[in-house]
Amino acid sequence: MKALIIAATAAASLIATAASAQQAAPANPGPVIPGVCVYYNARLLAQSSAGQAVEARMQQLAQEVQGELQPYATQIQTEAQQLQTSGSSLPADQLQQRRQALQQRAQEAQQLESTRENELRYTLGMQRQAITEAVSPILTALYQEKGCGLLLDRESVFMMNPAMDVTDLAIQRLNTALPTLSFNRLPVPAQTQAQPAAAN
């Protein structure tokens, strides 16, 4: 049952990445370079109220999926143990039928698990896209207000003067523009499902 892991690791990786970038500024951070600004998207996703709402809801959805899948796993495990202990006393044809039925149930459960995992990934991607769309005009406004001639991705910058970082302002404005996100697990569109197969 990997469904719970998907949402948890996705959210945790954002927080860990964002935290790793929160290095203590050096005693002498160097000059502020006019026209150069820096923005850290992973930190915005981890620390904004909308990003935290997505993280919390994804964990809820993953737990719901785990609750849906657990009975299948329990039933299959029980049946497998029964076959292992009493299989030798069954007629060969009956034993074969039960093995085939068990294998089919296992395949169905695996297919359901795969479907739910894809739905969780797709749902997370759509919520991140919504945040990206909401923050885009905010970054454009900050770019103009700060007189930026260049906006760098924080992940590409090892060290910088914190005064050039516009992430905190972006988070503050996003918290006002998009205080939260409410959503349910989304089915993956058929076209999206077909894309990996087409690529092979």
Side-chain angles (χ1 to χ4, degrees):
M1 304 296 165
K2 294 173 283 186
L4 183 60
I5 298 169
I6 294 171
T9 53
S13 66
L14 277 179
I15 294 170
T17 306
S20 68
Q22 295 287 4
Q23 302 165 342
N28 178 14
V32 173
I33 304 171
V36 176
C37 303
V38 179
Y39 166 67
Y40 192 21
N41 191 60
R43 186 156 72 84
L44 177 130
L45 288 173
Q47 295 180 359
S48 65
S49 55
Q52 291 174 352
V54 169
E55 176 192 343
R57 181 61 178 145
M58 286 303 301
Q59 288 179 347
Q60 289 174 354
L61 292 177
Q63 288 169 352
E64 288 174 11
V65 167
Q66 189 179 40
E68 179 187 9
L69 295 174
Q70 190 59 49
Y72 290 91
T74 303
Q75 182 185 17
I76 290 166
Q77 186 176 9
T78 301
E79 176 68 13
Q81 288 172 344
Q82 288 175 351
L83 276 178
Q84 190 173 7
T85 54
S86 62
S88 57
S89 63
L90 295 173
D93 59 339
Q94 190 177 345
L95 179 61
Q96 182 65 17
Q97 284 178 350
R98 287 183 62 177
R99 280 180 176 164
Q100 287 176 344
L102 178 61
Q103 186 176 8
Q104 183 176 351
R105 280 197 294 276
Q107 288 173 345
E108 289 169 356
Q110 191 172 16
Q111 180 60 47
L112 178 62
E113 181 179 3
S114 177
T115 298
R116 294 293 180 260
E117 287 176 3
N118 289 336
E119 288 172 350
L120 288 174
R121 285 193 187 97
Y122 178 73
T123 301
L124 179 60
M126 292 303 292
Q127 305 320 306
R128 286 182 177 170
Q129 183 178 327
I131 292 175
T132 298
E133 289 172 359
V135 82
S136 239
I138 292 171
L139 289 176
T140 301
L142 286 172
Y143 183 91
Q144 294 169 342
E145 290 170 23
K146 294 286 185 181
C148 305
L150 180 67
L151 181 60
L152 297 175
D153 182 348
R154 177 65 180 85
E155 291 187 13
S156 305
V157 178
F158 182 71
M159 206 169 286
M160 63 175 184
N161 186 312
M164 296 187 293
D165 192 339
V166 300
T167 309
D168 285 336
L169 282 171
I171 291 172
Q172 290 170 14
R173 294 187 186 185
L174 181 65
N175 287 347
T176 301
L178 187 70
T180 190
L181 278 169
S182 300
F183 56 94
N184 292 313
R185 192 180 70 241
L186 300 172
V188 181
Q191 186 177 1
T192 306
Q193 288 176 329
Q195 282 175 354
N200 290 337

